[in-house]
Amino acid sequence: YGNFIDDLRLYVRGGTGGMGYPRLGGEGGRGGDVWFVARERTTLKSIRDRYPQKRFVAGTGANSSVKALKGDKGKDCEVHVPLGISVLCDDGKQIGELNAAGERFLAARGGLGGSLATNFLPCKGQRRIVRLDLKLIADVGLVGFPNAGKSSLLSKISHAKPEIANYAFTTIQPELGKIMYADYKQISVADLPGLIEGAHANKGLGHKFLKHIERTKQLLLVVDISGFQLSIKTQFRTAFETILLLTKELELYKEELLTKPALLAINKMDLPCAKDNLNELMKQLQNPQDYLHLLQEEIIPANTLEFKDIIPVSTCTGEGIEELKACVRKSIDEEAEQENEEYRKKKLLLLQTSEEQMNR
């Protein structure tokens, strides 16, 4: 999986409280807390390299004394983590999320200082093992089988420089790029490593790749117009079957993925017979039900993906690349407008209900 780390186990412990002062009723300081703070340009690999022990312990609270009856709180320990982190307990239960720069999560609380309630003896801080689980955050996630041309497409539409070759599994770790527009608008795109049939059942590195799709706002399916065959042992799939299979993999992993807005890029339009194949594919996509009876039952998804736009492209000649960038921009803008509209409606509803309560 290369140098890309997408989960990390850490030991965190809050600081012990300070001793109380029984004779004068003095209270010891509370132990420090361990905080996770989301920060840009941080990776899980940088945390592992910088803290190989993966232990984070906050400072001990100060003891109560004649000079300071109320002891000072122990020093907090702050751990900088990347954006798009889920914080999980060791049993796999999610206890927090950090999505925006500056967001904080209390990972381990410090112990109370010694006081009358504790017989002036300090309490130990909270201790636990937590897992940081990274799910990439990007506006658009490129989804497709190996060798569909996702890496080439990312290099054409953004400034990313992913590794590109003519064998199936070039991309073994997610790549992030940004589409830059003339008005300085930026849209982030994640090239997610190629899925294979059975990815939902964790074949290949299925779950590692599929979980990154959850954190993208929209999907951009990339399909080879001439079809796809992983190896001589596996069955050849046409472009139409490829779309159905990708939909099926997403559906079996998590049905909600099919509710995301989706675009379809039909790649390799520079190949011979591409135009004929495209005409055939468009017919199939317009009336998929007419063709499903010709296919094996196991590749047919329960629900089909509705594509907002279908764009034929060629990463070799540059055909359709500008149109694709415009479609991505339009789709993202429409979704943002929809979110704003929903937010305005919620605010209006809150104002109306509060006014009604005031009138009563």
Side-chain angles (χ1 to χ4, degrees):
Y1 207 49
N3 282 326
F4 187 82
I5 297 174
D6 60 357
D7 60 44
L8 196 63
R9 283 176 85 235
L10 306 175
Y11 172 81
V12 290
R13 193 179 86 211
T16 306
M19 290 288 290
Y21 202 118
R23 204 174 57 177
L24 298 175
E27 285 184 18
R30 258 195 59 204
D33 304 318
V34 179
W35 292 89
F36 292 149
V37 184
R39 178 175 274 190
E40 286 173 352
R41 291 191 289 279
T42 302
T43 63
L44 292 181
K45 185 178 183 298
S46 66
I47 298 172
R48 190 194 64 179
D49 292 348
R50 195 171 172 193
Y51 307 100
Q53 300 291 317
K54 295 181 286 187
R55 288 171 59 88
F56 297 93
V57 181
T60 306
N63 296 336
S64 172
S65 64
V66 176
K67 289 179 182 174
L69 287 178
K70 177 78 174 140
D72 290 336
K73 184 176 184 282
K75 192 180 178 189
D76 287 348
C77 172
E78 287 195 352
V79 186
H80 294 139
V81 299
L83 312 188
I85 282 285
S86 298
V87 186
L88 311 171
C89 283
D90 216 22
D91 60 3
K93 185 185 169 195
Q94 186 171 319
I95 52 175
E97 269 194 332
L98 294 159
N99 293 324
E103 279 188 6
R104 297 165 68 83
F105 172 76
L106 181 58
R109 193 180 289 282
L112 292 171
S115 64
L116 188 61
T118 63
N119 207 17
F120 297 100
L121 295 171
C123 300
K124 288 186 174 177
Q126 183 183 13
R127 64 177 73 194
R128 58 182 170 187
I129 289 172
V130 294
R131 208 173 87 229
L132 300 182
D133 197 20
L134 174 68
K135 294 177 182 177
L136 284 179
I137 293 182
D139 296 315
V140 180
L142 299 184
V143 182
F145 283 131
N147 227 20
K150 297 188 306 301
S151 298
S152 304
L153 189 62
L154 183 70
S155 68
K156 284 282 180 189
I157 61 177
S158 76
H159 295 296
K161 296 283 179 283
E163 189 182 330
I164 297 163
N166 62 355
Y167 51 88
F169 285 100
T170 317
T171 307
I172 56 166
Q173 60 187 50
E175 287 274 357
L176 269 177
K178 276 195 165 72
I179 308 178
M180 315 284 272
Y181 292 91
D183 62 352
Y184 303 107
K185 164 95 174 172
Q186 295 183 13
I187 290 175
S188 56
V189 182
D191 170 18
L192 307 164
L195 302 177
I196 61 169
E197 289 182 47
H200 69 275
N202 212 15
K203 276 193 185 171
L205 290 170
H207 287 180
K208 270 186 178 287
F209 299 159
L210 281 161
K211 74 172 188 181
H212 293 298
I213 298 170
E214 292 180 61
R215 283 289 180 93
T216 58
K217 290 180 188 172
Q218 305 201 354
L219 306 180
L220 174 57
L221 268 67
V222 185
V223 171
D224 186 335
I225 188 60
S226 56
F228 169 68
Q229 186 173 17
L230 184 61
S231 71
I232 50 169
K233 293 178 184 174
T234 58
Q235 203 172 332
F236 173 79
R237 303 293 189 190
T238 64
F240 181 57
E241 288 174 325
T242 303
I243 292 166
L244 292 177
L245 270 167
L246 286 169
T247 307
K248 181 93 173 172
E249 289 302 331
L250 297 177
E251 179 182 75
L252 290 172
Y253 176 70
K254 197 167 267 190
E255 228 171 302
E256 301 93 85
L257 291 178
L258 298 190
T259 62
K260 288 179 184 285
L263 302 169
L264 173 62
I266 300 162
N267 195 17
K268 307 194 183 178
M269 286 303 295
D270 53 290
L271 294 177
C273 304
K275 293 276 189 286
D276 297 337
N277 290 343
L278 178 64
N279 293 334
E280 180 66 21
L281 177 61
M282 294 307 274
K283 279 185 212 164
Q284 291 168 325
L285 288 172
Q286 274 164 2
N287 299 300
Q289 302 305 323
D290 299 350
Y291 298 89
L292 295 182
H293 68 280
L294 303 169
L295 307 173
Q296 298 148 298
E297 207 173 304
E298 65 265 19
I299 74 165
I300 301 170
N303 302 292
T304 50
L305 262 175
E306 292 291 323
F307 296 110
K308 293 178 85 170
D309 281 299
I310 298 172
I311 311 102
V313 298
S314 166
T315 52
C316 188
T317 63
E319 176 195 339
I321 296 295
E322 289 307 313
E323 189 193 339
L324 176 63
K325 285 162 76 170
C327 287
V328 168
R329 169 76 184 262
K330 180 169 158 254
S331 182
I332 290 284
D333 287 349
E334 279 172 4
E335 193 190 0
E337 186 53 44
Q338 202 176 328
E339 280 176 9
N340 289 341
E341 190 58 40
E342 283 170 16
Y343 178 74
R344 281 197 290 268
K345 280 178 184 170
K346 274 184 191 171
K347 280 281 188 191
L348 197 62
L349 196 67
L350 278 169
L351 278 169
Q352 284 168 349
T353 51
S354 61
E355 275 176 19
E356 282 168 16
Q357 285 168 354
M358 290 275 284
N359 292 335
R360 281 175 199 166

mmCIF file of all heavy atoms in Angstrom, residues 102-145:
data_model
loop_
_atom_site.group_PDB
_atom_site.id
_atom_site.type_symbol
_atom_site.label_atom_id
_atom_site.label_comp_id
_atom_site.label_asym_id
_atom_site.label_seq_id
_atom_site.Cartn_x
_atom_site.Cartn_y
_atom_site.Cartn_z
ATOM 1 N N GLY A 102 -8.604 23.303 12.613
ATOM 2 C CA GLY A 102 -8.879 23.964 13.894
ATOM 3 C C GLY A 102 -9.858 23.213 14.779
ATOM 4 O O GLY A 102 -9.964 23.511 15.971
ATOM 5 N N GLU A 103 -10.580 22.241 14.224
ATOM 6 C CA GLU A 103 -11.517 21.464 15.054
ATOM 7 C C GLU A 103 -10.722 20.657 16.080
ATOM 8 O O GLU A 103 -9.626 20.179 15.800
ATOM 9 C CB GLU A 103 -12.360 20.516 14.192
ATOM 10 C CG GLU A 103 -13.521 21.204 13.524
ATOM 11 C CD GLU A 103 -14.476 20.237 12.827
ATOM 12 O OE1 GLU A 103 -14.308 19.014 12.960
ATOM 13 O OE2 GLU A 103 -15.394 20.717 12.143
ATOM 14 N N ARG A 104 -11.327 20.496 17.297
ATOM 15 C CA ARG A 104 -10.624 19.812 18.389
ATOM 16 C C ARG A 104 -11.478 18.668 18.919
ATOM 17 O O ARG A 104 -12.698 18.734 18.904
ATOM 18 C CB ARG A 104 -10.363 20.803 19.536
ATOM 19 C CG ARG A 104 -9.455 21.943 19.163
ATOM 20 C CD ARG A 104 -9.511 23.073 20.185
ATOM 21 N NE ARG A 104 -8.947 22.700 21.465
ATOM 22 C CZ ARG A 104 -7.651 22.729 21.761
ATOM 23 N NH1 ARG A 104 -6.794 23.137 20.859
ATOM 24 N NH2 ARG A 104 -7.214 22.382 22.953
ATOM 25 N N PHE A 105 -10.804 17.628 19.372
ATOM 26 C CA PHE A 105 -11.503 16.497 19.984
ATOM 27 C C PHE A 105 -10.758 16.098 21.248
ATOM 28 O O PHE A 105 -9.535 15.926 21.237
ATOM 29 C CB PHE A 105 -11.569 15.312 19.009
ATOM 30 C CG PHE A 105 -12.106 14.062 19.647
ATOM 31 C CD1 PHE A 105 -13.467 13.923 19.884
ATOM 32 C CD2 PHE A 105 -11.250 13.042 20.046
ATOM 33 C CE1 PHE A 105 -13.968 12.783 20.492
ATOM 34 C CE2 PHE A 105 -11.744 11.890 20.656
ATOM 35 C CZ PHE A 105 -13.111 11.767 20.880
ATOM 36 N N LEU A 106 -11.504 15.975 22.358
ATOM 37 C CA LEU A 106 -10.900 15.597 23.636
ATOM 38 C C LEU A 106 -10.700 14.084 23.651
ATOM 39 O O LEU A 106 -11.661 13.319 23.730
ATOM 40 C CB LEU A 106 -11.810 16.034 24.792
ATOM 41 C CG LEU A 106 -11.324 15.746 26.208
ATOM 42 C CD1 LEU A 106 -9.973 16.406 26.487
ATOM 43 C CD2 LEU A 106 -12.350 16.192 27.234
ATOM 44 N N ALA A 107 -9.451 13.644 23.542
ATOM 45 C CA ALA A 107 -9.152 12.207 23.438
ATOM 46 C C ALA A 107 -9.027 11.543 24.806
ATOM 47 O O ALA A 107 -9.415 10.398 24.991
ATOM 48 C CB ALA A 107 -7.859 12.013 22.655
ATOM 49 N N ALA A 108 -8.476 12.262 25.791
ATOM 50 C CA ALA A 108 -8.334 11.704 27.144
ATOM 51 C C ALA A 108 -8.381 12.851 28.149
ATOM 52 O O ALA A 108 -7.610 13.802 28.057
ATOM 53 C CB ALA A 108 -7.020 10.937 27.269
ATOM 54 N N ARG A 109 -9.291 12.730 29.096
ATOM 55 C CA ARG A 109 -9.486 13.787 30.096
ATOM 56 C C ARG A 109 -8.514 13.599 31.267
ATOM 57 O O ARG A 109 -8.234 12.465 31.672
ATOM 58 C CB ARG A 109 -10.930 13.718 30.603
ATOM 59 C CG ARG A 109 -11.374 14.932 31.398
ATOM 60 C CD ARG A 109 -12.815 14.754 31.837
ATOM 61 N NE ARG A 109 -13.753 14.848 30.737
ATOM 62 C CZ ARG A 109 -14.153 15.975 30.190
ATOM 63 N NH1 ARG A 109 -13.681 17.144 30.639
ATOM 64 N NH2 ARG A 109 -15.017 15.990 29.202
ATOM 65 N N GLY A 110 -8.008 14.718 31.796
ATOM 66 C CA GLY A 110 -7.106 14.656 32.951
ATOM 67 C C GLY A 110 -7.849 14.297 34.230
ATOM 68 O O GLY A 110 -9.049 14.538 34.346
ATOM 69 N N GLY A 111 -7.131 13.727 35.200
ATOM 70 C CA GLY A 111 -7.738 13.334 36.482
ATOM 71 C C GLY A 111 -7.951 14.537 37.395
ATOM 72 O O GLY A 111 -7.264 15.559 37.274
ATOM 73 N N LEU A 112 -8.899 14.417 38.333
ATOM 74 C CA LEU A 112 -9.160 15.495 39.295
ATOM 75 C C LEU A 112 -8.025 15.597 40.303
ATOM 76 O O LEU A 112 -7.402 14.591 40.653
ATOM 77 C CB LEU A 112 -10.471 15.222 40.038
ATOM 78 C CG LEU A 112 -11.758 15.298 39.202
ATOM 79 C CD1 LEU A 112 -12.939 14.794 40.013
ATOM 80 C CD2 LEU A 112 -12.009 16.723 38.741
ATOM 81 N N GLY A 113 -7.797 16.819 40.754
ATOM 82 C CA GLY A 113 -6.797 17.020 41.804
ATOM 83 C C GLY A 113 -7.350 16.599 43.161
ATOM 84 O O GLY A 113 -8.563 16.466 43.336
ATOM 85 N N GLY A 114 -6.451 16.371 44.107
ATOM 86 C CA GLY A 114 -6.877 15.984 45.454
ATOM 87 C C GLY A 114 -7.688 17.079 46.122
ATOM 88 O O GLY A 114 -7.317 18.248 46.079
ATOM 89 N N SER A 115 -8.839 16.700 46.715
ATOM 90 C CA SER A 115 -9.704 17.669 47.401
ATOM 91 C C SER A 115 -10.438 16.925 48.524
ATOM 92 O O SER A 115 -10.246 15.726 48.718
ATOM 93 C CB SER A 115 -10.712 18.270 46.412
ATOM 94 O OG SER A 115 -11.578 17.264 45.935
ATOM 95 N N LEU A 116 -11.286 17.651 49.223
ATOM 96 C CA LEU A 116 -12.033 17.049 50.323
ATOM 97 C C LEU A 116 -12.829 15.835 49.837
ATOM 98 O O LEU A 116 -12.891 14.807 50.500
ATOM 99 C CB LEU A 116 -12.980 18.099 50.919
ATOM 100 C CG LEU A 116 -13.712 17.706 52.204
ATOM 101 C CD1 LEU A 116 -12.730 17.414 53.334
ATOM 102 C CD2 LEU A 116 -14.687 18.802 52.620
ATOM 103 N N ALA A 117 -13.408 15.965 48.615
ATOM 104 C CA ALA A 117 -14.246 14.885 48.062
ATOM 105 C C ALA A 117 -13.435 13.616 47.813
ATOM 106 O O ALA A 117 -13.969 12.505 47.864
ATOM 107 C CB ALA A 117 -14.910 15.346 46.774
ATOM 108 N N THR A 118 -12.142 13.768 47.518
ATOM 109 C CA THR A 118 -11.319 12.581 47.204
ATOM 110 C C THR A 118 -10.341 12.270 48.343
ATOM 111 O O THR A 118 -9.339 11.594 48.124
ATOM 112 C CB THR A 118 -10.514 12.824 45.908
ATOM 113 O OG1 THR A 118 -9.614 13.911 46.131
ATOM 114 C CG2 THR A 118 -11.407 13.123 44.729
ATOM 115 N N ASN A 119 -10.651 12.809 49.519
ATOM 116 C CA ASN A 119 -9.761 12.616 50.671
ATOM 117 C C ASN A 119 -8.374 13.192 50.401
ATOM 118 O O ASN A 119 -7.362 12.680 50.880
ATOM 119 C CB ASN A 119 -9.672 11.123 51.018
ATOM 120 C CG ASN A 119 -9.360 10.903 52.493
ATOM 121 O OD1 ASN A 119 -9.517 11.810 53.314
ATOM 122 N ND2 ASN A 119 -8.878 9.732 52.819
ATOM 123 N N PHE A 120 -8.355 14.255 49.571
ATOM 124 C CA PHE A 120 -7.138 15.000 49.198
ATOM 125 C C PHE A 120 -6.136 14.180 48.383
ATOM 126 O O PHE A 120 -4.989 14.572 48.210
ATOM 127 C CB PHE A 120 -6.464 15.609 50.436
ATOM 128 C CG PHE A 120 -7.342 16.623 51.104
ATOM 129 C CD1 PHE A 120 -8.091 16.281 52.238
ATOM 130 C CD2 PHE A 120 -7.475 17.899 50.585
ATOM 131 C CE1 PHE A 120 -8.941 17.204 52.838
ATOM 132 C CE2 PHE A 120 -8.316 18.829 51.179
ATOM 133 C CZ PHE A 120 -9.059 18.495 52.304
ATOM 134 N N LEU A 121 -6.618 13.017 47.892
ATOM 135 C CA LEU A 121 -5.743 12.198 47.031
ATOM 136 C C LEU A 121 -6.108 12.466 45.568
ATOM 137 O O LEU A 121 -7.283 12.584 45.223
ATOM 138 C CB LEU A 121 -5.917 10.712 47.341
ATOM 139 C CG LEU A 121 -5.469 10.282 48.740
ATOM 140 C CD1 LEU A 121 -5.873 8.847 49.020
ATOM 141 C CD2 LEU A 121 -3.954 10.446 48.891
ATOM 142 N N PRO A 122 -5.105 12.561 44.689
ATOM 143 C CA PRO A 122 -5.401 12.865 43.277
ATOM 144 C C PRO A 122 -5.981 11.659 42.539
ATOM 145 O O PRO A 122 -5.785 10.512 42.954
ATOM 146 C CB PRO A 122 -4.033 13.236 42.710
ATOM 147 C CG PRO A 122 -3.050 12.516 43.570
ATOM 148 C CD PRO A 122 -3.658 12.418 44.939
ATOM 149 N N CYS A 123 -6.681 11.934 41.441
ATOM 150 C CA CYS A 123 -7.218 10.856 40.584
ATOM 151 C C CYS A 123 -6.350 10.730 39.333
ATOM 152 O O CYS A 123 -5.774 11.713 38.859
ATOM 153 C CB CYS A 123 -8.645 11.179 40.142
ATOM 154 S SG CYS A 123 -9.780 11.362 41.522
ATOM 155 N N LYS A 124 -6.286 9.518 38.828
ATOM 156 C CA LYS A 124 -5.525 9.293 37.589
ATOM 157 C C LYS A 124 -6.334 9.786 36.395
ATOM 158 O O LYS A 124 -7.563 9.822 36.438
ATOM 159 C CB LYS A 124 -5.220 7.806 37.423
ATOM 160 C CG LYS A 124 -4.160 7.321 38.407
ATOM 161 C CD LYS A 124 -3.773 5.908 38.129
ATOM 162 C CE LYS A 124 -2.605 5.488 39.027
ATOM 163 N NZ LYS A 124 -2.234 4.089 38.845
ATOM 164 N N GLY A 125 -5.628 10.144 35.332
ATOM 165 C CA GLY A 125 -6.305 10.604 34.105
ATOM 166 C C GLY A 125 -6.877 9.430 33.320
ATOM 167 O O GLY A 125 -6.505 8.276 33.528
ATOM 168 N N GLN A 126 -7.773 9.775 32.419
ATOM 169 C CA GLN A 126 -8.378 8.756 31.543
ATOM 170 C C GLN A 126 -7.292 8.192 30.631
ATOM 171 O O GLN A 126 -6.445 8.917 30.127
ATOM 172 C CB GLN A 126 -9.474 9.447 30.707
ATOM 173 C CG GLN A 126 -10.253 8.539 29.809
ATOM 174 C CD GLN A 126 -11.263 9.326 28.972
ATOM 175 O OE1 GLN A 126 -11.204 10.547 28.896
ATOM 176 N NE2 GLN A 126 -12.190 8.637 28.355
ATOM 177 N N ARG A 127 -7.329 6.890 30.418
ATOM 178 C CA ARG A 127 -6.357 6.289 29.500
ATOM 179 C C ARG A 127 -7.085 5.350 28.554
ATOM 180 O O ARG A 127 -8.012 4.656 28.943
ATOM 181 C CB ARG A 127 -5.261 5.538 30.270
ATOM 182 C CG ARG A 127 -5.747 4.344 31.062
ATOM 183 C CD ARG A 127 -4.618 3.614 31.717
ATOM 184 N NE ARG A 127 -4.070 4.360 32.845
ATOM 185 C CZ ARG A 127 -2.918 4.076 33.432
ATOM 186 N NH1 ARG A 127 -2.206 3.067 33.015
ATOM 187 N NH2 ARG A 127 -2.498 4.799 34.448
ATOM 188 N N ARG A 128 -6.696 5.376 27.303
ATOM 189 C CA ARG A 128 -7.299 4.445 26.339
ATOM 190 C C ARG A 128 -6.466 4.360 25.069
ATOM 191 O O ARG A 128 -5.613 5.216 24.806
ATOM 192 C CB ARG A 128 -8.729 4.845 26.010
ATOM 193 C CG ARG A 128 -8.926 6.233 25.450
ATOM 194 C CD ARG A 128 -10.411 6.477 25.229
ATOM 195 N NE ARG A 128 -10.718 7.851 24.923
ATOM 196 C CZ ARG A 128 -11.948 8.310 24.833
ATOM 197 N NH1 ARG A 128 -12.970 7.517 25.049
ATOM 198 N NH2 ARG A 128 -12.182 9.574 24.544
ATOM 199 N N ILE A 129 -6.753 3.328 24.299
ATOM 200 C CA ILE A 129 -6.133 3.185 22.982
ATOM 201 C C ILE A 129 -7.183 3.601 21.965
ATOM 202 O O ILE A 129 -8.319 3.139 22.009
ATOM 203 C CB ILE A 129 -5.657 1.737 22.746
ATOM 204 C CG1 ILE A 129 -4.444 1.460 23.624
ATOM 205 C CG2 ILE A 129 -5.300 1.512 21.280
ATOM 206 C CD1 ILE A 129 -3.972 0.037 23.655
ATOM 207 N N VAL A 130 -6.811 4.525 21.078
ATOM 208 C CA VAL A 130 -7.748 4.991 20.054
ATOM 209 C C VAL A 130 -7.147 4.739 18.678
ATOM 210 O O VAL A 130 -5.930 4.571 18.529
ATOM 211 C CB VAL A 130 -8.071 6.497 20.205
ATOM 212 C CG1 VAL A 130 -8.828 6.766 21.467
ATOM 213 C CG2 VAL A 130 -6.815 7.347 20.130
ATOM 214 N N ARG A 131 -8.021 4.703 17.687
ATOM 215 C CA ARG A 131 -7.564 4.519 16.311
ATOM 216 C C ARG A 131 -7.977 5.731 15.491
ATOM 217 O O ARG A 131 -9.137 6.146 15.541
ATOM 218 C CB ARG A 131 -8.178 3.251 15.721
ATOM 219 C CG ARG A 131 -7.297 2.630 14.646
ATOM 220 C CD ARG A 131 -7.802 1.304 14.171
ATOM 221 N NE ARG A 131 -8.767 1.472 13.102
ATOM 222 C CZ ARG A 131 -9.946 0.883 13.078
ATOM 223 N NH1 ARG A 131 -10.319 0.106 14.062
ATOM 224 N NH2 ARG A 131 -10.774 1.071 12.072
ATOM 225 N N LEU A 132 -7.031 6.285 14.789
ATOM 226 C CA LEU A 132 -7.335 7.382 13.860
ATOM 227 C C LEU A 132 -7.536 6.767 12.482
ATOM 228 O O LEU A 132 -6.651 6.091 11.961
ATOM 229 C CB LEU A 132 -6.182 8.391 13.808
ATOM 230 C CG LEU A 132 -5.811 9.074 15.123
ATOM 231 C CD1 LEU A 132 -4.700 10.080 14.889
ATOM 232 C CD2 LEU A 132 -7.008 9.750 15.759
ATOM 233 N N ASP A 133 -8.714 6.992 11.921
ATOM 234 C CA ASP A 133 -9.064 6.386 10.644
ATOM 235 C C ASP A 133 -9.260 7.497 9.636
ATOM 236 O O ASP A 133 -10.115 8.361 9.814
ATOM 237 C CB ASP A 133 -10.365 5.587 10.837
ATOM 238 C CG ASP A 133 -10.595 4.605 9.715
ATOM 239 O OD1 ASP A 133 -9.623 4.273 9.037
ATOM 240 O OD2 ASP A 133 -11.754 4.195 9.518
ATOM 241 N N LEU A 134 -8.445 7.505 8.593
ATOM 242 C CA LEU A 134 -8.500 8.586 7.607
ATOM 243 C C LEU A 134 -9.381 8.188 6.437
ATOM 244 O O LEU A 134 -9.197 7.155 5.831
ATOM 245 C CB LEU A 134 -7.088 8.891 7.096
ATOM 246 C CG LEU A 134 -6.994 9.895 5.949
ATOM 247 C CD1 LEU A 134 -7.389 11.275 6.404
ATOM 248 C CD2 LEU A 134 -5.596 9.927 5.377
ATOM 249 N N LYS A 135 -10.363 9.049 6.157
ATOM 250 C CA LYS A 135 -11.139 8.892 4.934
ATOM 251 C C LYS A 135 -10.945 10.201 4.187
ATOM 252 O O LYS A 135 -11.320 11.254 4.674
ATOM 253 C CB LYS A 135 -12.616 8.683 5.255
ATOM 254 C CG LYS A 135 -12.872 7.385 5.980
ATOM 255 C CD LYS A 135 -14.329 7.258 6.331
ATOM 256 C CE LYS A 135 -14.572 5.975 7.096
ATOM 257 N NZ LYS A 135 -15.970 5.859 7.503
ATOM 258 N N LEU A 136 -10.315 10.123 3.031
ATOM 259 C CA LEU A 136 -9.963 11.342 2.301
ATOM 260 C C LEU A 136 -11.159 12.248 2.086
ATOM 261 O O LEU A 136 -12.243 11.772 1.802
ATOM 262 C CB LEU A 136 -9.415 10.983 0.917
ATOM 263 C CG LEU A 136 -8.000 10.460 0.848
ATOM 264 C CD1 LEU A 136 -7.657 10.146 -0.596
ATOM 265 C CD2 LEU A 136 -7.031 11.477 1.368
ATOM 266 N N ILE A 137 -10.952 13.522 2.201
ATOM 267 C CA ILE A 137 -12.011 14.464 1.873
ATOM 268 C C ILE A 137 -11.657 15.113 0.541
ATOM 269 O O ILE A 137 -10.608 15.708 0.399
ATOM 270 C CB ILE A 137 -12.153 15.548 2.960
ATOM 271 C CG1 ILE A 137 -12.655 14.918 4.247
ATOM 272 C CG2 ILE A 137 -13.110 16.635 2.510
ATOM 273 C CD1 ILE A 137 -12.866 15.896 5.355
ATOM 274 N N ALA A 138 -12.546 14.966 -0.421
ATOM 275 C CA ALA A 138 -12.368 15.631 -1.714
ATOM 276 C C ALA A 138 -13.743 15.945 -2.257
ATOM 277 O O ALA A 138 -14.725 15.321 -1.879
ATOM 278 C CB ALA A 138 -11.596 14.728 -2.678
ATOM 279 N N ASP A 139 -13.797 16.933 -3.135
ATOM 280 C CA ASP A 139 -15.086 17.278 -3.746
ATOM 281 C C ASP A 139 -15.549 16.155 -4.664
ATOM 282 O O ASP A 139 -16.715 15.798 -4.693
ATOM 283 C CB ASP A 139 -14.967 18.584 -4.540
ATOM 284 C CG ASP A 139 -14.644 19.771 -3.642
ATOM 285 O OD1 ASP A 139 -15.280 19.886 -2.582
ATOM 286 O OD2 ASP A 139 -13.751 20.558 -3.979
ATOM 287 N N VAL A 140 -14.604 15.607 -5.424
ATOM 288 C CA VAL A 140 -14.952 14.597 -6.431
ATOM 289 C C VAL A 140 -14.033 13.387 -6.262
ATOM 290 O O VAL A 140 -12.826 13.537 -6.086
ATOM 291 C CB VAL A 140 -14.778 15.175 -7.859
ATOM 292 C CG1 VAL A 140 -15.129 14.133 -8.913
ATOM 293 C CG2 VAL A 140 -15.636 16.415 -8.045
ATOM 294 N N GLY A 141 -14.609 12.190 -6.323
ATOM 295 C CA GLY A 141 -13.818 10.951 -6.263
ATOM 296 C C GLY A 141 -13.878 10.237 -7.600
ATOM 297 O O GLY A 141 -14.955 9.992 -8.135
ATOM 298 N N LEU A 142 -12.702 9.933 -8.190
ATOM 299 C CA LEU A 142 -12.654 9.185 -9.447
ATOM 300 C C LEU A 142 -12.804 7.698 -9.128
ATOM 301 O O LEU A 142 -12.026 7.146 -8.352
ATOM 302 C CB LEU A 142 -11.322 9.411 -10.163
ATOM 303 C CG LEU A 142 -10.964 10.836 -10.572
ATOM 304 C CD1 LEU A 142 -9.658 10.841 -11.345
ATOM 305 C CD2 LEU A 142 -12.042 11.464 -11.400
ATOM 306 N N VAL A 143 -13.807 7.067 -9.714
ATOM 307 C CA VAL A 143 -14.085 5.661 -9.436
ATOM 308 C C VAL A 143 -14.036 4.890 -10.745
ATOM 309 O O VAL A 143 -14.645 5.296 -11.735
ATOM 310 C CB VAL A 143 -15.499 5.496 -8.805
ATOM 311 C CG1 VAL A 143 -15.778 4.042 -8.478
ATOM 312 C CG2 VAL A 143 -15.636 6.352 -7.562
ATOM 313 N N GLY A 144 -13.305 3.775 -10.752
ATOM 314 C CA GLY A 144 -13.247 2.966 -11.972
ATOM 315 C C GLY A 144 -12.385 1.749 -11.758
ATOM 316 O O GLY A 144 -11.663 1.646 -10.770
ATOM 317 N N PHE A 145 -12.466 0.817 -12.694
ATOM 318 C CA PHE A 145 -11.628 -0.377 -12.616
ATOM 319 C C PHE A 145 -10.194 -0.020 -13.011
ATOM 320 O O PHE A 145 -9.962 1.036 -13.624
ATOM 321 C CB PHE A 145 -12.179 -1.471 -13.532
ATOM 322 C CG PHE A 145 -13.389 -2.159 -12.954
ATOM 323 C CD1 PHE A 145 -14.534 -2.350 -13.705
ATOM 324 C CD2 PHE A 145 -13.390 -2.619 -11.644
ATOM 325 C CE1 PHE A 145 -15.648 -2.984 -13.176
ATOM 326 C CE2 PHE A 145 -14.490 -3.248 -11.100
ATOM 327 C CZ PHE A 145 -15.625 -3.429 -11.866
#
